[in-house]
Amino acid sequence: MSAHCMLTGAQPGFGNTISHSHRRTSRRFDPNIQSKRYWLPSEGRHVRLKLSTKGIKTVDTLGIEAAVARIRARGVKV
């Protein structure tokens, strides 16, 4: 589960690559996952999160405290 966002739950999608001769081979569409380190003031420590770029924008909007609360509500250990 390396290509998985901790906040939004984004995960790979699957489809086909279609060649010029129209043969189909399986392929995978990975989300843009980045490892990002945030300071969590309530716990007095840094947390390292694996987030999609959309997840990073969500943290910027909500704030890190609310984002970590959502991640923990999903059952992911932070």
Side-chain angles (χ1 to χ4, degrees):
M1 267 203 339
S2 60
H4 186 83
C5 179
M6 296 171 89
L7 180 60
T8 62
Q11 56 192 6
F14 296 91
N16 291 312
T17 298
I18 303 180
S19 70
H20 179 70
S21 64
H22 218 67
R23 291 182 63 129
R24 291 173 169 90
T25 54
S26 189
R27 67 161 291 180
R28 180 173 150 149
F29 297 91
D30 285 330
N32 188 1
I33 299 295
Q34 308 292 323
S35 182
K36 194 131 167 69
R37 189 170 161 236
Y38 290 99
W39 173 252
L40 196 58
S42 64
E43 297 181 14
R45 69 184 182 105
H46 285 96
V47 291
R48 190 171 299 278
L49 303 176
K50 291 179 76 176
L51 301 170
S52 62
T53 49
K54 182 178 178 182
I56 292 171
K57 291 174 189 174
T58 305
V59 170
D60 291 343
T61 303
L62 294 176
I64 186 63
E65 298 289 341
V68 167
R70 282 191 185 184
I71 291 171
R72 288 182 174 150
R74 293 184 71 236
V76 178
K77 185 181 175 204
V78 176

PDB file of all heavy atoms in Angstrom, residues 5-6 9 12 15 22 28 35 41 43 46 57 60-61 68 71:
ATOM      1  N   CYS A   5      -2.841   7.567   0.075  1.00  0.00           N
ATOM      2  CA  CYS A   5      -2.857   8.800   0.862  1.00  0.00           C
ATOM      3  C   CYS A   5      -3.490   8.542   2.229  1.00  0.00           C
ATOM      4  O   CYS A   5      -4.559   7.949   2.321  1.00  0.00           O
ATOM      5  CB  CYS A   5      -3.646   9.883   0.121  1.00  0.00           C
ATOM      6  SG  CYS A   5      -3.750  11.436   1.024  1.00  0.00           S
ATOM      7  N   MET A   6      -2.817   8.992   3.279  1.00  0.00           N
ATOM      8  CA  MET A   6      -3.315   8.768   4.639  1.00  0.00           C
ATOM      9  C   MET A   6      -4.566   9.598   4.930  1.00  0.00           C
ATOM     10  O   MET A   6      -5.403   9.189   5.726  1.00  0.00           O
ATOM     11  CB  MET A   6      -2.220   9.113   5.658  1.00  0.00           C
ATOM     12  CG  MET A   6      -1.007   8.234   5.579  1.00  0.00           C
ATOM     13  SD  MET A   6       0.332   8.829   6.609  1.00  0.00           S
ATOM     14  CE  MET A   6      -0.042   8.013   8.144  1.00  0.00           C
ATOM     15  N   GLY A   9      -7.337   8.969   1.313  1.00  0.00           N
ATOM     16  CA  GLY A   9      -7.567   7.575   0.945  1.00  0.00           C
ATOM     17  C   GLY A   9      -7.353   7.300  -0.534  1.00  0.00           C
ATOM     18  O   GLY A   9      -7.739   6.253  -1.032  1.00  0.00           O
ATOM     19  N   PRO A  12      -4.201   3.683  -6.063  1.00  0.00           N
ATOM     20  CA  PRO A  12      -4.032   3.523  -7.506  1.00  0.00           C
ATOM     21  C   PRO A  12      -5.312   3.121  -8.217  1.00  0.00           C
ATOM     22  O   PRO A  12      -6.153   2.410  -7.671  1.00  0.00           O
ATOM     23  CB  PRO A  12      -3.008   2.395  -7.634  1.00  0.00           C
ATOM     24  CG  PRO A  12      -2.315   2.353  -6.332  1.00  0.00           C
ATOM     25  CD  PRO A  12      -3.307   2.809  -5.312  1.00  0.00           C
ATOM     26  N   GLY A  15      -6.187   0.441 -15.403  1.00  0.00           N
ATOM     27  CA  GLY A  15      -6.769   0.569 -16.730  1.00  0.00           C
ATOM     28  C   GLY A  15      -5.900  -0.146 -17.741  1.00  0.00           C
ATOM     29  O   GLY A  15      -5.145  -1.044 -17.389  1.00  0.00           O
ATOM     30  N   HIS A  22      -3.823  -1.242 -31.300  1.00  0.00           N
ATOM     31  CA  HIS A  22      -5.002  -1.397 -30.452  1.00  0.00           C
ATOM     32  C   HIS A  22      -4.958  -2.635 -29.553  1.00  0.00           C
ATOM     33  O   HIS A  22      -5.994  -3.124 -29.113  1.00  0.00           O
ATOM     34  CB  HIS A  22      -6.291  -1.374 -31.293  1.00  0.00           C
ATOM     35  CG  HIS A  22      -7.406  -0.645 -30.598  1.00  0.00           C
ATOM     36  ND1 HIS A  22      -7.368   0.704 -30.366  1.00  0.00           N
ATOM     37  CD2 HIS A  22      -8.561  -1.086 -30.064  1.00  0.00           C
ATOM     38  CE1 HIS A  22      -8.469   1.066 -29.717  1.00  0.00           C
ATOM     39  NE2 HIS A  22      -9.211   0.000 -29.526  1.00  0.00           N
ATOM     40  N   ARG A  28      -1.261   0.918 -14.447  1.00  0.00           N
ATOM     41  CA  ARG A  28      -1.662   1.403 -13.146  1.00  0.00           C
ATOM     42  C   ARG A  28      -1.486   2.922 -13.089  1.00  0.00           C
ATOM     43  O   ARG A  28      -0.453   3.440 -13.493  1.00  0.00           O
ATOM     44  CB  ARG A  28      -0.765   0.716 -12.120  1.00  0.00           C
ATOM     45  CG  ARG A  28      -0.990   1.051 -10.710  1.00  0.00           C
ATOM     46  CD  ARG A  28      -0.113   0.131  -9.880  1.00  0.00           C
ATOM     47  NE  ARG A  28       0.273   0.792  -8.668  1.00  0.00           N
ATOM     48  CZ  ARG A  28       0.502   0.161  -7.544  1.00  0.00           C
ATOM     49  NH1 ARG A  28       0.441  -1.137  -7.505  1.00  0.00           N
ATOM     50  NH2 ARG A  28       0.829   0.827  -6.471  1.00  0.00           N
ATOM     51  N   SER A  35       5.876  12.447   0.793  1.00  0.00           N
ATOM     52  CA  SER A  35       6.111  12.301   2.228  1.00  0.00           C
ATOM     53  C   SER A  35       6.381  13.688   2.784  1.00  0.00           C
ATOM     54  O   SER A  35       7.286  14.379   2.314  1.00  0.00           O
ATOM     55  CB  SER A  35       7.292  11.371   2.462  1.00  0.00           C
ATOM     56  OG  SER A  35       7.494  11.195   3.835  1.00  0.00           O
ATOM     57  N   PRO A  41       1.656  20.742  17.255  1.00  0.00           N
ATOM     58  CA  PRO A  41       1.863  21.476  18.508  1.00  0.00           C
ATOM     59  C   PRO A  41       1.218  20.823  19.725  1.00  0.00           C
ATOM     60  O   PRO A  41       1.763  20.902  20.829  1.00  0.00           O
ATOM     61  CB  PRO A  41       1.235  22.844  18.257  1.00  0.00           C
ATOM     62  CG  PRO A  41       0.873  22.900  16.837  1.00  0.00           C
ATOM     63  CD  PRO A  41       0.943  21.532  16.272  1.00  0.00           C
ATOM     64  N   GLU A  43       1.004  17.757  20.524  1.00  0.00           N
ATOM     65  CA  GLU A  43       1.811  16.654  21.045  1.00  0.00           C
ATOM     66  C   GLU A  43       3.277  17.030  21.186  1.00  0.00           C
ATOM     67  O   GLU A  43       4.076  16.246  21.699  1.00  0.00           O
ATOM     68  CB  GLU A  43       1.664  15.425  20.137  1.00  0.00           C
ATOM     69  CG  GLU A  43       0.244  14.906  20.101  1.00  0.00           C
ATOM     70  CD  GLU A  43       0.105  13.679  19.235  1.00  0.00           C
ATOM     71  OE1 GLU A  43       1.122  13.061  18.861  1.00  0.00           O
ATOM     72  OE2 GLU A  43      -1.044  13.339  18.909  1.00  0.00           O
ATOM     73  N   HIS A  46       7.073  16.233  15.750  1.00  0.00           N
ATOM     74  CA  HIS A  46       6.844  16.196  14.309  1.00  0.00           C
ATOM     75  C   HIS A  46       6.148  14.893  13.943  1.00  0.00           C
ATOM     76  O   HIS A  46       6.380  13.868  14.580  1.00  0.00           O
ATOM     77  CB  HIS A  46       8.172  16.278  13.543  1.00  0.00           C
ATOM     78  CG  HIS A  46       8.768  17.648  13.542  1.00  0.00           C
ATOM     79  ND1 HIS A  46       9.735  18.036  14.444  1.00  0.00           N
ATOM     80  CD2 HIS A  46       8.535  18.719  12.745  1.00  0.00           C
ATOM     81  CE1 HIS A  46      10.075  19.279  14.196  1.00  0.00           C
ATOM     82  NE2 HIS A  46       9.362  19.729  13.168  1.00  0.00           N
ATOM     83  N   LYS A  57      -2.931  20.011   0.131  1.00  0.00           N
ATOM     84  CA  LYS A  57      -3.751  21.215   0.045  1.00  0.00           C
ATOM     85  C   LYS A  57      -4.852  21.197   1.103  1.00  0.00           C
ATOM     86  O   LYS A  57      -5.207  22.234   1.668  1.00  0.00           O
ATOM     87  CB  LYS A  57      -4.370  21.341  -1.341  1.00  0.00           C
ATOM     88  CG  LYS A  57      -3.361  21.632  -2.426  1.00  0.00           C
ATOM     89  CD  LYS A  57      -4.019  21.601  -3.786  1.00  0.00           C
ATOM     90  CE  LYS A  57      -2.973  21.673  -4.886  1.00  0.00           C
ATOM     91  NZ  LYS A  57      -3.563  21.501  -6.219  1.00  0.00           N
ATOM     92  N   ASP A  60      -3.394  22.275   4.340  1.00  0.00           N
ATOM     93  CA  ASP A  60      -3.214  23.727   4.336  1.00  0.00           C
ATOM     94  C   ASP A  60      -4.527  24.446   4.644  1.00  0.00           C
ATOM     95  O   ASP A  60      -4.534  25.490   5.290  1.00  0.00           O
ATOM     96  CB  ASP A  60      -2.679  24.196   2.983  1.00  0.00           C
ATOM     97  CG  ASP A  60      -1.246  23.744   2.734  1.00  0.00           C
ATOM     98  OD1 ASP A  60      -0.568  23.350   3.715  1.00  0.00           O
ATOM     99  OD2 ASP A  60      -0.818  23.779   1.569  1.00  0.00           O
ATOM    100  N   THR A  61      -5.639  23.892   4.190  1.00  0.00           N
ATOM    101  CA  THR A  61      -6.943  24.512   4.409  1.00  0.00           C
ATOM    102  C   THR A  61      -7.456  24.266   5.831  1.00  0.00           C
ATOM    103  O   THR A  61      -7.868  25.196   6.521  1.00  0.00           O
ATOM    104  CB  THR A  61      -7.970  23.963   3.407  1.00  0.00           C
ATOM    105  OG1 THR A  61      -7.487  24.191   2.083  1.00  0.00           O
ATOM    106  CG2 THR A  61      -9.318  24.630   3.575  1.00  0.00           C
ATOM    107  N   VAL A  68      -4.970  15.624  11.259  1.00  0.00           N
ATOM    108  CA  VAL A  68      -4.537  14.444  12.021  1.00  0.00           C
ATOM    109  C   VAL A  68      -5.744  13.798  12.699  1.00  0.00           C
ATOM    110  O   VAL A  68      -5.835  12.565  12.773  1.00  0.00           O
ATOM    111  CB  VAL A  68      -3.441  14.824  13.043  1.00  0.00           C
ATOM    112  CG1 VAL A  68      -3.196  13.709  14.042  1.00  0.00           C
ATOM    113  CG2 VAL A  68      -2.143  15.151  12.311  1.00  0.00           C
ATOM    114  N   ILE A  71      -7.367  11.754  10.040  1.00  0.00           N
ATOM    115  CA  ILE A  71      -6.564  10.547   9.733  1.00  0.00           C
ATOM    116  C   ILE A  71      -6.787   9.506  10.817  1.00  0.00           C
ATOM    117  O   ILE A  71      -6.970   8.322  10.530  1.00  0.00           O
ATOM    118  CB  ILE A  71      -5.073  10.920   9.605  1.00  0.00           C
ATOM    119  CG1 ILE A  71      -4.839  11.761   8.358  1.00  0.00           C
ATOM    120  CG2 ILE A  71      -4.205   9.683   9.587  1.00  0.00           C
ATOM    121  CD1 ILE A  71      -3.458  12.366   8.260  1.00  0.00           C
TER     122      ILE A  71
END
